[in-house]
Amino acid sequence: MQTEIINKLYWTGDLTDEELKQLIENRTEEDFALLSQKARSRCDEEYGNKVYMRGLIEFSSYCKNDCLYCGLRRSNRNAERYRLSKEDILNCCENGYRLGFRTFVLQGGEDAFYSDDLFCEIIEGIKKKFPDTAVTLSLGERSRESFKGLFDAGADRYLLRHETADSEHYGRLHPKELTLEHRMECLKTLKEIGYQTGCGFMVGSPYQTVDCIVKDLRFIKEFQPQMVGIGPFIPHKDTPFKEEKAGTLELTLFLLSVIRLLLPKVLLPATTALGTIDPTGREKGIKAGANVVMPNLSPVGVRKKYSLYDNKICTGEEAAECVECLRRRMQSAGGELVVDRGDSRIAVNKVL
């Protein structure tokens, strides 16, 4: 059992790359039991047992990119495409606000239909109607001018998963026109502008090695994001990775605990993907040190069309209408679902 390394991580908030690799490669159930207990304890010190709700609005299933792992990739002719109007999005926010949501996450493919002007109108509309809420964007890579304009319109946070901090690995997951260098430049720009910035990666993606994961953890530690989103890779039947193995619940939970101890103040979601590969995956994520859940506020008629991976949960307890079900689930994991913006305790160091 790796008690010494786990205690070092708990007390110092860091390990060498060699120690991280050793911790991951030699992990045991006993190691995870101790690690997750330490991670949950650290999260409780920073946030108590609060679990913050984010209302996810998946506004478009169109995407200009052709990432090899994603069901929304432009080459997928079987994908069902849709777009939500400004009015649709505001209606989703109205429903969510009534249910107790104080953060709305606008997530979609990189869809040129939504101009900067349109996004600014949508953000300003949300902020005018619900001034005590936070707006999180997850729109992919954009120009500095675009990021700045959306921030000035009232956006608070931006999620841009880096997917992998290893450039060779990045190239095996993405088309040639997408580069890790540009992705990292976007993340740097977001922090400079003043966004609460989120990054993250897939666990168990094709060609991922333990060395890749160590690079991800080192990047996260050095970048100091306000949010980190990780979830297991799940293959999609209409992508080149359809026959690849999915990432595991076990390693995802282990890494959630590691990230909590590396960044005690971070906002850490128990993702939809966790709930997809295990019926109680999100509860297990909370026990491992996560403190955010993101139920779906999208109109029921489009939820199945936003198909990033196979068998994505999109009805029942994933639906925002079942907040009480989610509240009970979180209570069973020792968490308290709260009505709160839930801002990160990692300071935003605005440069511009």
Side-chain angles (χ1 to χ4, degrees), residues 19-31:
E19 287 169 333
L20 284 169
K21 185 174 183 180
Q22 178 183 329
L23 180 62
I24 295 166
E25 285 186 331
N26 300 319
R27 67 189 186 277
T28 64
E29 288 184 14
E30 292 76 17
D31 288 335

Side-chain angles (χ1 to χ4, degrees), residues 57-67 70-85 88-89 106-114 119 138-139 236 296 298-299 301-309 312:
I57 302 169
E58 296 163 334
F59 63 84
S60 173
S61 64
Y62 286 86
C63 189
K64 69 178 185 182
N65 294 328
D66 215 20
C67 303
C70 183
L72 301 187
R73 66 196 309 262
R74 68 170 185 262
S75 295
N76 182 8
R77 296 182 179 179
N78 294 326
E80 293 187 75
R81 309 293 184 178
Y82 72 90
R83 292 184 176 108
L84 299 185
S85 67
D88 292 332
I89 293 170
L106 305 186
Q107 177 177 292
E110 293 195 27
D111 182 358
F113 173 83
Y114 295 86
F119 271 130
S138 182
L139 314 178
H236 189 287
N296 204 325
S298 307
V302 304
R303 290 180 189 165
K304 289 185 178 179
K305 297 178 183 179
Y306 197 81
S307 179
L308 300 174
Y309 47 80
K312 176 170 169 268

Side-chain angles (χ1 to χ4, degrees), residues 170-189:
Y170 194 93
R172 301 183 80 173
L173 302 178
H174 299 91
K176 289 182 179 179
E177 64 267 22
L178 297 180
T179 66
L180 179 60
E181 181 182 16
H182 187 256
R183 179 63 60 113
M184 293 301 197
E185 189 62 35
C186 286
L187 281 165
K188 179 183 173 186
T189 297

Side-chain angles (χ1 to χ4, degrees), residues 263-277:
L263 288 179
K265 298 178 186 295
V266 80
L267 290 166
L268 196 58
T271 62
T272 300
L274 269 180
T276 297
I277 64 171

Side-chain angles (χ1 to χ4, degrees), residues 168-230:
E168 182 182 347
H169 187 212
Y170 194 93
R172 301 183 80 173
L173 302 178
H174 299 91
K176 289 182 179 179
E177 64 267 22
L178 297 180
T179 66
L180 179 60
E181 181 182 16
H182 187 256
R183 179 63 60 113
M184 293 301 197
E185 189 62 35
C186 286
L187 281 165
K188 179 183 173 186
T189 297
L190 289 164
K191 282 197 84 173
E192 288 175 351
I193 289 170
Y195 283 98
Q196 295 177 43
T197 305
C199 61
F201 61 95
M202 292 178 290
V203 177
S205 60
Y207 314 114
Q208 186 182 65
T209 64
V210 173
D211 286 330
C212 291
I213 294 172
V214 169
K215 285 184 179 180
D216 287 320
L217 297 174
R218 181 59 53 209
F219 165 69
I220 287 168
K221 177 64 177 177
E222 293 175 354
F223 184 63
Q224 292 283 305
Q226 281 73 36
M227 306 164 279
V228 174
I230 71 166

